[in-house]
Amino acid sequence: MVLLENLSIPSFTAAVRAFFAAEGIVTVEDFLLHDLHKFLAVAEQSAVCVDVKEAVVEALSYLENLQEKWKDGLGLSQQPVGYLSLGCESIDKLLEGGIQEGTLTELVGASSTGKTQICMQAAACAAYNQQCSVIYVDTCGAFSSQRVAHMLGGMLGSLLQVEEQRTELTLSLKSIERIAVFDIFSLLTFLQGTYDKLLTESENWRLRLLIIDSVSSVISPVLGGNHSQGHALMISVGQILKKLAARQRLAILFTNHTVAGIGGQPRPALGGSWKSVPHTRLMLSHDSPRSDVYRMSILKHTGQCCSRQTTFRIGRAGLHSFDTREVATGR
């Protein structure tokens, strides 16, 4: 059996190891079989609460990465990498193809920085260009079928006759299923139900993209205050999202708001415990409310340096390229 203290995890300090051991968690097997909800609830009453939460997140991430390496070594993960285009040349170029299947992509930004617009265009592109099913989890009532229709209309352009356009538009809209979810418990129930359905109907269900706009609006209310199990619930959301992405090869896109960081600079909300969840983290900004030009910067990416950004426009028919350049973002 592998002892937890033998893993290369910086947050496993002597105090944290002692707390784990007091709860009967000494080996990796103990950790994987333990009820993390109850464990983190107990940790809330401890002086090392923050350190324990960080150690749990790092351990889960470490073991997940180790599992992927084992799969690669056994030749079990040789599927070609797939990407879903966002229908905007500059953004697709920045991401080297678009949203990567089998990974979690997070859009971070303040209000009115284009997060929902990107989500709706991603849904429209996947439904029309990839002819696949899309689930759009709407947690704040921002989804607009009319807006998606405008985006689809821009993609169809004048290449088709009017009747053909109507047919394609109708088929694409039907491929996008909007789900209204307004609390974290409903979100967890929905995600688990989706996972179970994919296990039994994966051959008949062409689901390739799952969007949650926004994940922070259902997680933030249960963090802090008297909600002692808030972090455990947040970790559960991250776990099942990663499980959906990895095992079902889904591209998962979700949004997160910003909070004030050092010097007043915006930083992603939900804290350090959430930081390891997304594989790709993209920061959105909008310099002037009078301008239609927006900026996307890479904060985190599995295969790229975090010093690249691009600008794009948001018009009536959706997102359009502006220009692409590499700069030091300083983040």
Side-chain angles (χ1 to χ4, degrees):
M1 293 185 182
V2 180
L3 298 176
L4 281 174
E5 63 182 26
N6 292 335
L7 301 183
S8 301
I9 301 177
S11 58
F12 267 83
T13 62
V16 169
R17 290 200 302 271
F19 183 85
F20 271 71
E23 296 300 315
I25 304 178
V26 178
T27 68
V28 171
E29 184 180 14
D30 295 334
F31 177 75
L32 293 174
L33 294 177
H34 206 83
D35 187 332
L36 292 182
H37 288 236
K38 294 180 179 180
F39 177 68
L40 290 171
V42 174
E44 288 285 349
Q45 313 302 320
S46 168
V48 291
C49 173
V50 175
D51 295 333
V52 168
K53 290 176 182 176
E54 184 178 351
V56 168
V57 173
E58 286 192 13
L60 289 170
S61 180
Y62 179 91
L63 293 173
E64 180 186 18
N65 291 335
L66 191 61
Q67 181 185 39
E68 290 305 312
K69 289 179 181 178
W70 287 340
K71 285 182 180 179
D72 290 340
L74 293 171
L76 299 176
S77 184
Q78 301 300 320
Q79 300 181 40
V81 177
Y83 293 88
L84 298 182
S85 169
L86 284 166
C88 177
E89 184 179 356
S90 59
I91 294 179
D92 285 345
K93 183 177 179 181
L94 177 74
L95 301 179
E96 298 187 350
I99 305 171
Q100 185 175 336
E101 292 179 323
T103 67
L104 311 182
T105 300
E106 181 182 64
L107 300 175
V108 180
S111 177
S112 302
T113 52
K115 300 189 298 295
T116 296
Q117 297 297 315
I118 293 176
C119 286
M120 289 192 288
Q121 176 138 330
C125 281
Y128 175 63
N129 293 329
Q130 304 293 332
Q131 296 183 343
C132 61
S133 297
V134 178
I135 291 181
Y136 195 114
V137 180
D138 186 8
T139 69
C140 44
F143 179 82
S144 169
S145 58
Q146 184 177 19
R147 178 63 172 144
V148 174
H150 286 159
M151 292 174 168
L152 286 167
M155 296 174 197
L156 293 172
S158 58
L159 298 178
L160 303 175
Q161 299 296 322
V162 174
E163 286 302 319
E164 292 177 316
Q165 285 188 12
R166 289 176 181 171
T167 300
E168 289 292 339
L169 185 62
T170 300
L171 289 174
S172 296
L173 286 174
K174 285 183 177 179
S175 297
I176 303 172
E177 181 181 5
R178 183 246 182 188
I179 304 291
V181 170
F182 300 112
D183 63 74
I184 195 168
F185 303 102
S186 299
L187 177 61
L188 283 168
T189 300
F190 165 76
L191 291 175
Q192 186 59 56
T194 300
Y195 181 76
D196 293 341
K197 184 178 178 181
L198 280 166
L199 285 180
T200 58
E201 302 181 27
S202 58
E203 294 184 1
N204 300 319
W205 197 14
R206 297 178 301 146
L207 180 64
R208 290 182 63 189
L209 176 61
L210 171 64
I211 298 171
I212 305 176
D213 182 27
S214 82
V215 72
S216 54
S217 68
V218 293
I219 292 178
S220 293
V222 301
L223 297 180
N226 297 321
H227 300 281
S228 60
Q229 294 191 358
H231 279 80
L233 291 169
M234 178 174 69
I235 289 172
S236 294
V237 171
Q239 280 183 297
I240 193 168
L241 285 176
K242 284 194 170 185
K243 186 168 66 171
L244 274 166
R247 297 185 184 179
Q248 304 301 333
R249 304 301 299 170
L250 285 185
I252 299 181
L253 176 68
F254 52 85
T255 65
N256 186 7
H257 66 276
T258 59
V259 294
I262 299 175
Q265 291 297 312
R267 62 179 177 82
L270 303 182
S273 298
W274 184 257
K275 185 177 180 180
S276 65
V277 173
H279 300 94
T280 298
R281 205 169 214 182
L282 307 170
M283 176 70 83
L284 299 172
S285 59
H286 187 205
D287 296 333
S288 170
R290 296 182 178 181
S291 171
D292 64 349
V293 179
Y294 296 74
R295 182 176 291 106
M296 176 183 286
S297 306
I298 296 179
L299 297 184
K300 175 185 178 183
H301 198 287
T302 54
Q304 296 189 47
C305 64
C306 301
S307 61
R308 301 182 64 215
Q309 68 173 217
T310 190
T311 49
F312 60 96
R313 296 182 186 274
I314 298 180
R316 185 178 184 278
L319 280 59
H320 305 282
S321 297
F322 186 67
D323 76 297
T324 304
R325 53 182 174 153
E326 292 191 13
V327 297
T329 63
R331 298 186 188 280

